[in-house]
Amino acid sequence: MKSVVILISGRGSNMRSIVEAGLAANVRAVISNRPDAGGLAYAREHGIATAVVDHTQHPDRTAFDRALAQEIDRHAPDLVVLAGFMRILTPGFVEHYAGRMINIHPSLLPAFTGLHTHRRAIEAGCRIAGVTVHFVTGELDGGPIIAQTAVPVLAGDDEATLAARVLAQEHLLYPRVVRWFLEDRLTLQHGRAVLRDEATPAAGALTAPGADD
Ligand code: GRF
């Protein structure tokens, strides 16, 4: 069975959606850079090993990333899942996990990298918003896109209502992508995410790749 390590910084609802999806995977550990991350308690309660690698206890990014990689590699995961992990990673760290580290970002990339995506989408007058799962590269929120789900931006939406609509889709999309990786169907090839046996999405479908795989 393949193994996964999940990195979080906060409440960990995406981590939870992966744990609860009943995937054929061994979630070896949940690691946080913040001792107060809400998701740590959930992981502990569910018998998952947890660890904190506190970025404030390291002199610089390189030292922090080195300590983090050491903690991750103790578990020898096949896949590293960033789930609301709010740290900029050094090139060496990213290179070490090339093709086996994925991230979820609450916008339709390449639009709205970085923070406050929902507010910025509303301010820009977007009619659709959404979520992207991508392989992690050295470029912030810039790695090869694996899958996206779009949601409408409704009249009267504020940051909170839009965030909630997107988050509901995050919880569906992320476990699916993790499953593809565990099934050896998802790879990074020549800088692009390749999904084997991809179902053809129905015309006009808002989710890609295919909804019925
Ligand atoms: C999610 O919206 C995720 O896309 C973003 O940070 C948020 C984390 O939420 N990167 P949670 O900790 O998974 O609940």
Side-chain angles (χ1 to χ4, degrees):
M1 195 183 284
K2 284 203 181 352
S3 61
V4 174
V5 164
I6 305 178
L7 306 191
I8 64 169
S9 296
R11 89 196 134 172
S13 69
N14 277 291
M15 173 269 294
R16 191 171 167 156
S17 74
I18 291 166
V19 170
E20 290 177 359
L23 302 170
N26 190 345
V27 179
R28 288 258 166 84
V30 171
I31 302 173
S32 172
N33 64 308
R34 297 180 55 115
D36 60 350
L40 287 172
Y42 171 89
R44 272 185 222 113
E45 279 158 21
H46 288 75
I48 301 168
T50 60
V52 174
V53 182
D54 187 341
H55 63 278
T56 65
Q57 302 301 310
H58 293 83
D60 53 36
R61 283 191 196 283
T62 305
F64 168 72
D65 280 4
R66 198 176 302 129
L68 181 60
Q70 215 166 51
E71 185 57 42
I72 295 170
D73 291 349
R74 276 189 340 112
H75 304 282
D78 295 290
L79 179 66
V80 178
V81 176
L82 307 187
F85 187 65
M86 307 300 280
R87 294 292 302 169
I88 292 174
L89 300 164
T90 54
F93 183 92
V94 169
E95 181 54 37
H96 182 60
Y97 299 104
R100 54 191 182 110
M101 180 159 65
I102 58 178
N103 182 44
I104 190 159
H105 183 74
S107 80
L108 292 176
L109 292 172
F112 307 122
T113 59
L115 297 174
H116 310 301
T117 55
H118 306 301
R119 189 198 310 162
R120 288 157 62 207
I122 291 169
E123 280 171 6
C126 294
R127 300 296 189 182
I128 56 171
V131 52
T132 302
V133 178
H134 63 91
F135 280 109
V136 176
T137 62
E139 199 186 331
L140 179 70
D141 300 326
I145 292 172
I146 299 166
Q148 296 181 301
T149 304
V151 302
V153 181
L154 302 178
D157 262 345
D158 58 22
E159 217 175 326
T161 56
L162 181 56
R165 193 173 307 120
V166 172
L167 190 65
Q169 294 304 320
E170 295 185 36
H171 295 161
L172 298 176
L173 189 63
Y174 217 3
R176 241 172 108 200
V177 171
V178 171
R179 179 167 56 78
W180 293 338
F181 190 93
L182 298 172
E183 292 171 348
D184 280 329
R185 292 173 57 200
L186 174 64
T187 47
L188 179 62
Q189 291 176 30
H190 312 295
R192 297 193 73 97
V194 177
L195 179 63
R196 194 161 49 78
D197 303 331
E198 179 179 334
T200 310
L206 286 177
T207 299
D212 54 356
D213 58 328

